[in-house]
Amino acid sequence: MQSSWRLMFFMSLASCFTESSEAIPGIPTTYAAILRLKSLSSSYSSRTRQRSSSPPLGSISSPSWHGAAAQQQQQQHSPTNLYHVSEAFKHDESVDHGPVFIQEPDSVIFPVDSDEKKVSLGCQARANPAPTYKWLRNGTEIDIESDYRYSVIEGSIIINNPSETKDTGQYQCITTNMFGSILSREATLQFAYLGNFSGRTRSAVSVREGQGVVLMCSPPLHSPEIIYSWVFNEFPSFVAEDSRRFISQETGNLYISKVQPSDVGSYICLVKNTVTNARVLSPPTPLTLRTDGVMGEYEPKIEVHFPYTVTTAKGSTIKMECFALGNPVPTISWRKVNGPNPSKARLRKSQAVLEIPNVQLEDAGTYECKAENSRGRNVFRGQLQVYTYPHWTERLNDTQLDSGDQLRWECKAIGKPRPTYRWLKNGTPLWPESRIEMVNGVLMIHSVNQSDAGMYQCVAENKHGAVYTSAELRILASAPTFLASHLKKTIIITKGQEVAVECKPQASPKPTISWKKGDKALRENKRITVLPDGSLRILNATKSDEGKYVCRGENVFGSAEITASVFVKEPTRIDLSPKRTELTVGESIVLSCKALHDPTLDVIFHWTLNGQPIDFEKEGGHFESIRVQVSSADLMIRNILLMHAGRYGCRVQTTADSISDEAELLVRGPPGPPGVVIVEEITETTATLSWTPGADNHSPITSYNLQARSPFSLGWQTVKTVPETISGDMESAMAVELNPWVEYEFRVVATNKIGTGDPSAPSRVIRTKEAVPKTAPANVSGRSGRRHELVIAWEPVSEEFQNGEGFGYIVAFRPNGTRGWKEKMVTSSDASKFIYRDESVPPLTPFEVKVGVYNNKGDGPFSPIVVICSAEGEPSAAPTDVKATGLSVSEILIAWRHNKESVGRPQGFEVGYWKDMEQEEAAEKARTEGNESSIILTGLEGNTLYHLRVKAYNAAGYGPPSNAVRVATKKSPPSQAPSNIMWIQDGSHVSLGWEPVRPLANESDVMGYKVLFRQEGHSNSQVIETQKTSAVVLLPDVGVYIIEVRAVSEGGDGTPSSQIRVPSFSGGKVTSSQSSLHTFSTSSSTVTFLLVLMVPSTSW
């Protein structure tokens, strides 16, 4: 229960530490009760892992002069804990190994007045078996058992009720398991506090106006750093720093270079602890002016300055102070004596502070502060020294050695000043002895034994800190052993080969090796030798070398043997045929490979092409391995391709040897693609090309073919050349009859007796030169137009035949029978029409017309002359006798007459119609084609007045509209359906009767009725029309009929009645007794009819 409580408390405390380590200065002390000075933790190195420790940033540095507080603050709130853990042990925790730190203690500043009553220093190691822990304070082991205030939980030490007098000091953790011990870096436990100022009243300071003054702060006891500020007269009126007033964060004093009457008052020094944020105020110091005169001018006196030697860590921020008294108020300037000021340097507090962030080694040097006024100057110089903590460049690795071997370990670190080295074994100092040497980071132990096994640490340190690296040394001691697979071997070779029998037992120390053949010791000679590693080698083996060979390894701890049986066989021979063959693409061949070998050996055949194994499954069925006999194999190559040419290898492999032979296969095929095609010269219609020959694939090239491609061609096309036939020995030719000003690509195709090969890669795109166009427009004709217009149309000339830039058309025309041509230029190359307008030209006047072409190079040819008539114009007369009739609720019939004497033949007529309450601009349109003179408008609204106009149109436009006519659509048909339908059936005759339909006021009058009937299952209905409310229906066929009734009106058919299903019977004459009466009512009321059916059937 007690250990469980301790673990929970430790986890809670660790959580608190995490929060406090991320705190910012200025937050309440309860959130910053414990601040860690985090450091570079230890790391681990070995043969498969490295072990090392790096400097604790808080504990190894001794912050020098000003800037240390800021640096320390940064360390407190930006903790780093870097360590390396063996990757091997991360993945395999079952491997035994010595301790490796994964957490080392960090320096801690503990506030004396904190509500927390515990402080923890962390330590944790990885080891197998699990490690134990001890703690040292100031080099002495802490007796955990005898002091109840101490407890260790999972390696970390927890101190209850920490005491400044008892617990302040340097702490180290020692972790141990069966392989040894390692010592952690040092961590400092420091207590933060801030005392009170002395309550003694401070004497007044009296000066003359213009005189300089220094007000002393005399801070109370404190730890660690404090921040100074001054209050003027009463809190919180703080003294503002400027060129005349300065507060030193080194001395805490207030400096006024030249006192003014406004400075008279009471001054209080306020100090703040950087860790606890506690603040205390000093007693007031009165400042008064003397009355015996004003201070005259005097030269500057530097009252506060940085030390003569300032040291700071690389990467930190340094602040150097310099302030002077004087009258007039001095100005402060800075410079680096032995070089330019660092570009990153900044001046603070009216240049009284020089701040250099992220200090580097090149920032070191002599710095000068100069105070100057009109009375003189004063200068101070000091040296800035930059140091670096030790940093590993070479760490230790875990090592295993045989007993008697020599150990040599070297560790290397860099730092400024240069680090020195010391060594630890199992956490205690290691000193030189007869077998042990230590020189400049090198440890040598001669003739190691089991007493030397353990955990070793190399410590590199300078006055600013130390780093640790650790490693484990294991001393091996074992009798010789062989792997189980090596105990018995069978070696089969052929005569003349070399025999190599390996004999490498595992043992420590290294065993002696001896060999026997059979029962006799093996005698070495020129052919038979034992190699330095113990292996046996027999050169140029013969039958006499067959037998059993025994290797024995022996040391002080025991011995072991292995046996190898050696068999010497006759060498294998190979016969591969044919050796050299020439084939043509598409042919097939069989390569035969025969092996002559020892009959006791199994044979395996392997086929290769150009040194690469043939994959029979991925070669598309071209290759097949045929094995008919044990000692031979054939390779069938079907439908051979060019890519199958090369060296075919057959390798015969037995358990004793391997032999191979090669056959060469040449494949003749169409030529390969020619090389790069180069356009040597280009003209308007020709291109001179050159190329390099491609592979002839063992058949000489007989001819070449030139092909071209342009944006206007359908792919690649063969072009005419000079010479007309390009022989296989030529490497240039001229393409002719090209079109000017067209972009071309060219390629070359080679042909031999086998066939035509693949084309070359295309040449670069090149444009032929410009030329006068030679193609005239085609299909020159006339088009419809307006009156007094001559419309000339043609097919535009394709860009392929425009032959250059600036392409356009020349339209020439003249009235038929005249001499002079009138020409007009059309500059658009895409134009296909020209309109000439002349008010004096009568309709249908014949013109002779031709269209020519031109470009920037000149004028081209004209098309043949054609005769075109001027336009007859749009229709000139409006339609007459326009009449409109309402046909139904949604239809109107409109008819008109066209004036045949009108100029401008119509192509059709257009009817515009709109409702009475609408504007004509919103009219809907309906058109007719040709000479039609009427149209039925549909889809109209019922009982609505419409206005209508008609006008003729043709390609030239619209003629004038007719006068508007008005007409209304019919009222809607009756919405009431015929009701109370009664029917009497007599055989195939059905007599129907119904009540008359009464239309509403806005509905059309009833003009009669329609009776619709159809046989069930059929879609076509028969209709009977009547003006009565009764009808007789003859049902011609046997079956069931569907009957319904509708009212008929001007507005169309009304709503249909409900459907009646009536069966039709077949047979002889129907008598009255066979008659029946049926009543079908669609209304809610019931109507009773009394019918006497004595009417003979003929009356129907």
Side-chain angles (χ1 to χ4, degrees):
M1 183 68 180
Q2 181 70 14
S3 62
S4 174
W5 178 89
R6 287 183 175 182
L7 179 59
M8 292 177 63
F9 166 75
F10 172 75
M11 294 172 65
S12 173
L13 193 60
S15 174
C16 176
F17 289 165
T18 302
E19 292 182 2
S20 63
S21 69
E22 295 173 354
I24 342 174
I27 62 173
T29 55
T30 54
Y31 289 92
I34 299 178
L35 298 177
R36 292 184 173 277
L37 298 178
K38 294 296 282 182
S39 63
L40 298 175
S41 176
S42 65
S43 54
Y44 186 92
S45 72
S46 74
R47 187 176 293 173
T48 57
R49 64 189 192 270
Q50 292 185 334
R51 309 165 178 257
S52 69
S53 297
S54 300
L57 295 182
S59 62
I60 66 174
S61 61
S62 300
S64 60
W65 199 70
H66 197 68
Q71 176 184 340
Q72 186 182 61
Q73 195 75 6
Q74 179 181 2
Q75 293 161 353
Q76 292 165 352
H77 303 295
S78 301
T80 57
N81 189 8
L82 307 177
Y83 56 88
H84 303 280
V85 181
S86 162
E87 291 296 326
F89 299 135
K90 283 182 181 178
H91 299 297
D92 189 0
E93 288 298 329
S94 64
V95 177
D96 291 344
H97 62 91
V100 182
F101 279 120
I102 59 177
Q103 181 187 6
E104 295 187 67
D106 299 317
S107 294
V108 175
I109 301 177
F110 184 79
V112 172
D113 56 355
S114 171
D115 294 335
E116 298 288 340
K117 300 303 180 184
K118 297 178 178 63
V119 64
S120 172
L121 296 170
C123 180
Q124 187 178 0
R126 185 189 305 275
N128 193 19
T132 59
Y133 299 89
K134 295 188 298 183
W135 281 86
L136 307 179
R137 182 177 63 245
N138 299 328
T140 303
E141 183 178 349
I142 299 174
D143 188 350
I144 304 296
E145 301 298 331
S146 63
D147 193 335
Y148 73 94
R149 294 187 310 113
Y150 297 106
S151 58
V152 176
I153 300 177
E154 295 184 354
S156 298
I157 187 170
I158 299 174
I159 305 173
N160 295 282
N161 299 318
S163 165
E164 181 183 2
T165 57
K166 295 181 179 180
D167 299 320
T168 300
Q170 304 291 329
Y171 286 77
Q172 286 179 285
C173 167
I174 298 178
T175 178
T176 305
N177 75 354
M178 62 181 290
F179 296 104
S181 305
I182 53 175
L183 180 68
S184 76
R185 65 179 176 221
E186 291 185 347
T188 302
L189 175 57
Q190 183 179 353
F191 289 79
Y193 60 89
L194 179 61
N196 290 315
F197 282 95
S198 169
R200 184 179 59 196
T201 302
R202 299 195 174 188
S203 303
V205 177
S206 182
V207 296
R208 292 189 181 95
E209 181 182 350
Q211 186 178 356
V213 68
V214 179
L215 301 182
M216 311 298 288
C217 178
S218 302
L221 295 175
H222 59 272
S223 175
E225 301 298 325
I226 57 177
I227 298 174
Y228 298 91
S229 56
W230 282 79
V231 176
F232 181 55
N233 288 332
E234 62 182 12
F235 188 84
S237 177
F238 288 93
V239 173
E241 296 181 81
D242 52 24
S243 60
R244 199 171 57 84
R245 292 169 293 189
F246 177 70
I247 300 172
S248 171
Q249 294 302 320
E250 174 62 23
T251 65
N253 299 333
L254 171 62
Y255 301 84
I256 304 176
S257 63
K258 175 185 174 183
V259 175
Q260 298 176 354
S262 60
D263 296 325
V264 173
S266 180
Y267 289 83
I268 302 170
C269 181
L270 184 149
V271 296
K272 173 185 172 183
N273 190 294
T274 56
V275 173
T276 66
N277 291 326
R279 305 182 184 189
V280 292
L281 298 169
S282 71
T285 300
L287 177 63
T288 62
L289 284 181
R290 291 169 56 176
T291 59
D292 56 351
V294 177
M295 184 73 175
E297 294 182 351
Y298 62 96
E299 67 180 10
K301 176 187 177 185
I302 295 178
E303 194 66 34
V304 59
H305 56 76
F306 56 98
Y308 288 100
T309 301
V310 181
T311 58
T312 189
K314 178 184 176 182
S316 64
T317 297
I318 185 69
K319 295 180 181 179
M320 295 185 284
E321 296 181 345
C322 182
F323 190 77
L325 309 183
N327 187 7
V329 175
T331 58
I332 306 296
S333 60
W334 295 81
R335 76 181 182 96
K336 186 179 181 183
V337 175
N338 52 347
N341 285 347
S343 59
K344 58 193 172 184
R346 300 290 181 267
L347 296 175
R348 310 289 187 193
K349 296 188 178 183
S350 299
Q351 305 189 80
V353 175
L354 174 64
E355 178 181 304
I356 305 176
N358 190 24
V359 173
Q360 300 299 311
L361 295 176
E362 59 268 22
D363 297 327
T366 302
Y367 286 82
E368 177 184 275
C369 158
K370 180 171 66 176
E372 189 172 16
N373 64 9
S374 58
R375 304 298 296 179
R377 66 175 64 180
N378 201 347
V379 173
F380 175 81
R381 289 184 178 180
Q383 186 78 18
L384 173 61
Q385 296 179 351
V386 180
Y387 64 85
T388 60
Y389 302 115
H391 174 72
W392 288 120
T393 59
E394 185 176 336
R395 298 182 174 91
L396 300 183
N397 293 324
D398 288 347
T399 301
Q400 299 184 42
L401 294 176
D402 291 335
S403 178
D405 285 351
Q406 176 179 294
L407 169 70
R408 186 184 188 280
W409 262 332
E410 182 174 9
C411 56
K412 291 181 181 180
I414 57 174
K416 188 176 181 180
R418 179 178 298 175
T420 58
Y421 301 91
R422 57 188 174 91
W423 290 83
L424 306 176
K425 178 184 178 185
N426 293 328
T428 60
L430 182 66
W431 305 106
E433 297 178 2
S434 59
R435 294 185 303 111
I436 301 175
E437 299 178 22
M438 290 175 284
V439 180
N440 293 330
V442 176
L443 170 64
M444 295 183 65
I445 304 178
H446 303 280
S447 187
V448 297
N449 55 47
Q450 283 293 335
S451 66
D452 297 316
M455 300 300 300
Y456 287 78
Q457 289 175 280
C458 175
V459 184
E461 56 192 349
N462 61 18
K463 65 180 181 180
H464 302 292
V467 288
Y468 293 67
T469 178
S470 63
E472 179 182 341
L473 174 62
R474 292 192 185 184
I475 306 302
L476 304 178
S478 63
T481 59
F482 291 96
L483 296 177
S485 59
H486 290 179
L487 294 179
K488 290 186 177 181
K489 282 186 175 181
T490 298
I491 299 175
I492 302 175
I493 61 168
T494 59
K495 290 181 180 179
Q497 285 188 324
E498 177 183 315
V499 182
V501 186
E502 186 179 88
C503 182
K504 296 179 181 179
Q506 296 178 351
S508 182
K510 184 177 180 180
T512 58
I513 302 296
S514 61
W515 283 89
K516 293 190 300 181
K517 181 181 180 183
D519 297 330
K520 298 180 180 180
L522 186 67
R523 297 181 62 182
E524 295 186 61
N525 54 39
K526 292 182 178 179
R527 287 194 314 110
I528 302 174
T529 56
V530 178
L531 301 178
D533 64 356
S535 299
L536 174 64
R537 184 178 66 186
I538 303 176
L539 301 176
N540 193 20
T542 65
K543 271 287 186 178
S544 63
D545 295 322
E546 287 188 332
K548 288 188 178 181
Y549 292 82
V550 178
C551 173
R552 178 184 179 88
E554 185 174 8
N555 67 7
V556 295
F557 298 104
S559 63
E561 292 182 348
I562 59 169
T563 301
S565 298
V566 176
F567 297 91
V568 181
K569 305 289 184 179
E570 290 295 328
T572 305
R573 289 179 293 166
I574 188 172
D575 180 19
L576 176 62
S577 63
K579 285 290 188 178
R580 178 181 173 86
T581 307
E582 292 188 7
L583 295 173
T584 301
V585 168
E587 295 181 344
S588 300
I589 190 175
V590 175
L591 298 178
S592 179
C593 185
K594 296 180 181 179
L596 303 175
H597 61 92
D598 190 298
T600 62
L601 300 178
D602 293 330
V603 180
I604 300 176
F605 291 86
H606 300 277
W607 289 97
T608 61
L609 173 57
N610 296 323
Q612 297 299 316
I614 296 176
D615 189 335
F616 291 92
E617 294 182 359
K618 294 184 179 180
E619 291 296 339
H622 290 282
F623 295 96
E624 181 183 356
S625 178
I626 302 173
R627 186 84 179 266
V628 178
Q629 299 178 355
V630 174
S631 299
S632 66
D634 294 339
L635 175 64
M636 166 71 79
I637 309 174
R638 296 186 178 91
N639 191 21
I640 199 163
L641 304 177
L642 286 173
M643 61 184 291
H644 296 147
R647 295 174 291 101
Y648 283 81
C650 176
R651 181 166 60 88
V652 177
Q653 185 172 348
T654 68
T655 52
D657 60 354
S658 176
I659 188 171
S660 61
D661 196 4
E662 286 188 343
E664 185 177 4
L665 196 60
L666 300 178
V667 180
R668 295 186 299 265
V676 178
V677 178
I678 298 174
V679 181
E680 303 285 355
E681 183 181 2
I682 194 80
T683 68
E684 295 89 344
T685 59
T686 67
T688 302
L689 310 175
S690 66
W691 60 91
T692 55
D696 63 6
N697 291 327
H698 309 294
S699 178
I701 297 173
T702 56
S703 64
Y704 288 101
N705 180 26
L706 265 58
Q707 297 177 347
R709 179 173 64 181
S710 74
F712 313 106
S713 64
L714 295 175
W716 291 93
Q717 303 291 328
T718 298
V719 295
K720 293 184 177 180
T721 60
V722 173
E724 185 174 350
T725 300
I726 307 173
S727 61
D729 58 351
M730 297 180 65
E731 296 181 13
S732 66
M734 179 185 293
V736 297
E737 297 186 15
L738 305 177
N739 290 325
W741 199 240
V742 172
E743 288 185 338
Y744 284 97
E745 292 176 279
F746 298 95
R747 71 182 187 183
V748 180
V749 181
T751 301
N752 61 14
K753 291 182 179 180
I754 309 300
T756 299
D758 293 331
S760 69
S763 70
R764 63 184 177 91
V765 177
I766 191 167
R767 187 187 288 271
T768 50
K769 297 185 180 300
E770 294 179 280
V772 173
K774 295 183 178 180
T775 302
N779 296 328
V780 178
S781 62
R783 294 286 188 271
S784 298
R786 296 184 179 276
R787 190 173 295 124
H788 311 301
E789 287 183 348
L790 174 65
V791 181
I792 304 169
W794 60 89
E795 286 186 9
V797 176
S798 167
E799 184 182 350
E800 182 179 7
F801 304 105
Q802 292 176 6
N803 290 7
E805 291 187 307
F807 182 85
Y809 300 93
I810 304 171
V811 181
F813 52 92
R814 64 187 178 188
N816 205 0
T818 62
R819 287 197 166 202
W821 291 93
K822 182 173 289 189
E823 293 186 348
K824 296 293 183 182
M825 306 287 287
V826 180
T827 58
S828 172
S829 61
D830 297 327
S832 61
K833 184 171 68 174
F834 173 75
I835 299 175
Y836 171 69
R837 184 174 180 82
D838 187 344
E839 296 292 337
S840 65
V841 175
L844 302 177
T845 300
F847 281 82
E848 290 183 312
V849 176
K850 60 181 180 179
V851 181
V853 291
Y854 72 93
N855 64 14
N856 290 347
K857 286 291 186 177
D859 296 345
F862 278 91
S863 65
I865 297 173
V866 297
V867 176
I868 299 174
C869 292
S870 63
E872 58 181 331
E874 67 273 8
S876 61
T880 60
D881 295 337
V882 180
K883 295 179 181 179
T885 304
L887 297 181
S888 68
V889 68
S890 62
E891 296 175 327
I892 291 176
L893 171 64
I894 180 170
W896 58 88
R897 181 180 298 168
H898 172 58
N899 187 350
K900 295 184 179 180
E901 297 180 358
S902 168
V903 177
R905 288 169 295 179
Q907 294 178 355
F909 296 88
E910 182 177 276
V911 178
Y913 57 97
W914 64 97
K915 296 177 185 177
D916 186 47
M917 301 302 293
E918 295 178 345
Q919 298 295 321
E920 184 175 358
E921 289 75 11
E924 296 189 52
K925 306 289 193 302
R927 277 190 168 193
T928 68
E929 298 287 342
N931 295 323
E932 293 183 17
S933 59
S934 67
I935 188 173
I936 296 176
L937 305 177
T938 60
L940 307 177
E941 293 186 13
N943 197 24
T944 301
L945 179 63
Y946 281 88
H947 299 261
L948 303 97
R949 287 188 191 271
V950 184
K951 55 185 175 182
Y953 69 88
N954 60 17
Y958 289 95
S962 69
N963 295 326
V965 296
R966 300 194 306 168
V967 67
T969 53
K970 301 296 185 181
K971 293 182 180 180
S972 301
S975 58
Q976 178 188 349
S979 60
N980 292 328
I981 299 176
M982 298 164 294
W983 56 279
I984 300 173
Q985 184 177 7
D986 185 2
S988 60
H989 292 77
V990 177
S991 300
L992 298 169
W994 56 86
E995 286 190 0
V997 173
R998 312 290 183 189
L1000 301 176
N1002 62 343
E1003 295 177 343
S1004 300
D1005 293 334
V1006 176
M1007 300 168 57
Y1009 297 91
K1010 286 182 181 179
V1011 178
L1012 294 86
F1013 62 97
R1014 61 180 174 84
Q1015 196 169 7
E1016 190 172 48
H1018 293 70
S1019 58
N1020 295 328
S1021 296
Q1022 301 181 50
V1023 180
I1024 297 176
E1025 295 190 5
T1026 178
Q1027 294 182 346
K1028 301 178 181 181
T1029 59
S1030 63
V1032 177
V1033 178
L1034 175 63
L1035 306 179
D1037 299 319
V1038 176
V1040 177
Y1041 282 81
I1042 308 297
I1043 303 174
E1044 65 181 23
V1045 183
R1046 298 180 182 179
V1048 179
S1049 71
E1050 286 185 336
D1053 294 347
T1055 305
S1057 68
S1058 299
Q1059 293 180 344
I1060 303 170
R1061 299 179 77 256
V1062 178
S1064 174
F1065 302 103
S1066 63
K1069 181 179 179 181
V1070 179
T1071 63
S1072 59
S1073 61
Q1074 293 174 307
S1075 304
S1076 58
L1077 173 64
H1078 301 269
T1079 302
F1080 187 86
S1081 175
T1082 58
S1083 66
S1084 59
S1085 61
T1086 303
V1087 180
T1088 304
F1089 292 88
L1090 180 61
L1091 298 178
V1092 180
L1093 301 177
M1094 299 300 291
V1095 184
S1097 62
T1098 54
S1099 64
W1100 295 99

